[in-house]
């Protein structure tokens, strides 16, 4: 599996539009030792390059089902039943080519997972030599109120002085700030810019249709704001491990994902100690709870992992334990198949 993609700054997502709104439900779960907001927002230049300087190359083993695929599938199916949820999993070990897939091609609500794609589109299509990232943006208290989750943009100092586009990207990814995400969508031309960006990467499935917070309604029969575990996992891999972005942009995006503060009870709780994680979470109604990212086990190439979950009831609570246990099972299985 080769994670390739165009690095051309096509400008296909570079029109402008007014949001009139902002925000979404938050992606909860603080990491064990998250960076401060100030430190995370500072990740946009040299700090990001240092944080992600050890990015692996782009040559990967050909995909193949992981040994004992029937066993891991049965365990994921049992886990799904224990939690009365729908669980989608896609994992790819770039060292061995082993894959794990459970409901990997079923559609799930995307929720805040789109924020990584929006920031990546800004990097590829709008920013030139850092000038766009340095542009200062301001917003209103109403934008913050409507967003429903504004841990960075809601701070008084930031509301008064504004933030740069680069700082908004960091806020959207590392803190899942919804006002920041909507401001990025506004610059890109609206939610469908994320759909166009996904298609430009070779992702035929992932689509965004609405702004925050409406996009998190997650009704089971809704045909908008969706992705699949396989599609979103491969898209994240193209952005972090492939050539979809030029190297400086790839390293900057990876730095924001490495600084994520919202997966402490999800992937960070389920993956083995010592695994380095660059990920993004998302959540919404119907207990929708997602985590997607790239994890680097000590001393070996990375693993791509996507876990998406949802429930039948619109008032179901997000099940962090389900996401964490799925990550634990998959990572343990992949380690057991190493030759």
């Amino acid at each position: 599996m080769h994670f390739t993609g165009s690095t051309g700054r096509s400008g296909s997502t570079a029109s402008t539009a007014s949001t009139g709104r902002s925000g979404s439900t938050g992606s909860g779960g603080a990491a064990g030792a998250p960076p401060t907001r100030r430190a995370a927002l500072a990740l946009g230049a040299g700090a990001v390059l240092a944080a992600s300087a050890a990015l692996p190359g782009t040559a990967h083993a050909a995909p193949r089902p992981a040994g004992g695929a029937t066993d891991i599938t049965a365990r994921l199916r049992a886990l799904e039943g224990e939690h009365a949820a729908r669980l989608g999993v896609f994992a790819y070990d770039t060292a061995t080519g082993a894959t794990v897939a459970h409901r990997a091609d079923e559609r799930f609500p995307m929720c805040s997972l789109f924020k990584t794609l929006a920031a990546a589109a800004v990097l590829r299509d709008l920013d030139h030599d850092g000038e766009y990232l340095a542009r200062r943006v301001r917003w209103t208290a109403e934008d913050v109120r409507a967003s429903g989750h504004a841990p960075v943009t809601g701070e008084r100092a930031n509301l008064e002085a504004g933030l740069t586009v680069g700082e908004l990207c960091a806020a959207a990814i590392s803190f899942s700030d919804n006002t920041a995400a909507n401001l990025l969508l506004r610059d890109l031309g609206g939610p469908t810019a994320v759909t166009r960006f996904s298609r430009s990467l070779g992702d035929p499935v992932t689509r965004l249709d609405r702004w925050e917070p409406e996009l998190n309604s997650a009704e089971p029969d809704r045909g908008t704001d969706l992705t699949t575990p396989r599609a979103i996992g491969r898209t994240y891999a193209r952005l972090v491990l492939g050539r979809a972005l030029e190297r400086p942009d790839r390293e900057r995006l990876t730095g924001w994902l490495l600084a994520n503060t919202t997966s402490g009870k999800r992937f960070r709780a389920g993956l083995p100690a010592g695994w380095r994680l660059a990920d993004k979470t998302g959540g919404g109604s119907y207990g929708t709870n997602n985590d997607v990212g790239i994890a680097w086990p000590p001393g070996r190439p990375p693993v791509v992992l996507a876990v998406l979950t949802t429930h039948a009831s619109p008032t179901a609570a997000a099940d962090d334990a389900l996401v964490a246990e799925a990550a634990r099972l998959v990572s343990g299985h992949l380690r057991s198949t190493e030759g």
Side-chain angles (χ1 to χ4, degrees):
M1 185 180 296
H2 295 281
F3 304 119
T4 59
S6 173
T7 60
R9 297 180 182 273
S10 64
S12 61
T13 60
S15 57
T16 59
S18 173
T19 66
R21 55 198 127 155
S22 305
S24 135
T25 57
S27 296
T36 65
R37 290 174 188 170
R38 185 178 298 276
L41 294 180
L43 289 174
V48 167
L49 299 180
S52 54
L55 282 175
T58 55
H60 307 290
R64 61 175 176 79
T70 302
D71 178 63
I72 184 60
T73 300
R75 296 173 73 183
L76 291 171
R77 188 180 301 116
L79 180 66
E80 189 175 49
E82 291 167 9
H83 290 257
R86 185 164 65 100
L87 168 67
V89 175
F90 173 75
Y92 171 63
D93 188 333
T94 66
T96 65
T99 61
V100 174
H102 175 69
R103 299 191 190 273
D105 297 309
E106 292 187 15
R107 284 169 168 76
F108 287 78
M110 178 163 51
C111 299
S112 288
L113 300 180
F114 85 88
K115 292 169 182 173
T116 301
L117 308 187
V122 167
L123 290 171
R124 192 192 72 177
D125 295 340
L126 301 184
D127 186 55
H128 301 279
D129 301 321
E131 293 180 5
Y132 198 85
L133 291 183
R135 186 173 66 89
R136 186 159 293 274
V137 178
R138 288 179 169 81
W139 55 93
T140 68
E142 175 57 24
D143 291 329
V144 170
R145 186 203 64 76
S147 78
H149 186 68
V152 177
T153 56
E155 291 185 356
R156 180 184 296 274
N158 294 333
L159 185 58
E160 292 176 352
L163 293 170
T164 66
V165 173
E167 289 170 336
L168 290 173
C169 289
I173 294 177
S174 301
F175 294 93
S176 207
D177 190 295
N178 302 326
T179 311
N182 269 1
L183 292 169
L184 298 179
L185 289 179
R186 181 187 65 187
D187 281 4
L188 289 165
T192 56
V194 171
T195 305
R196 295 193 298 274
F197 181 72
S198 299
R199 299 298 175 270
S200 77
L201 299 180
D203 178 345
V205 177
T206 301
R207 60 179 293 171
L208 189 70
D209 302 85
R210 295 176 293 169
W211 303 84
E212 295 278 18
E214 291 87 355
L215 63 90
N216 300 293
S217 60
E219 298 91 343
D221 59 347
R222 177 170 288 279
T224 64
D225 311 297
L226 300 171
T227 190
T228 69
R230 191 189 309 272
I232 197 68
R234 292 183 62 154
T235 291
Y236 269 54
R238 291 183 181 105
L239 294 171
V240 174
L241 304 177
R243 298 188 179 93
L245 300 176
E246 295 176 358
R247 185 178 180 86
D249 290 338
R250 186 168 68 246
E251 292 175 338
R252 184 173 285 109
L253 182 73
T254 302
W256 293 328
L257 292 165
L258 286 167
N260 181 29
T261 65
T262 65
S263 64
K265 296 181 180 179
R266 287 176 252 190
F267 277 3
R268 292 187 189 276
L271 293 175
W275 283 37
R276 189 162 167 259
L277 177 64
D279 74 322
K280 180 72 191 78
T281 58
S285 301
Y286 290 86
T288 299
N289 201 18
N290 305 329
D291 205 342
V292 178
I294 314 297
W296 287 267
R300 65 185 303 276
V303 171
V304 179
L305 181 60
V307 175
L308 281 65
T309 71
T310 192
H311 291 70
S313 170
T315 59
D319 193 342
D320 290 337
L322 171 59
V323 176
E325 181 63 12
R328 187 189 69 79
L329 288 175
V330 171
S331 60
H333 177 74
L334 292 176
R335 285 191 297 173
S336 73
T337 62
E338 294 176 6

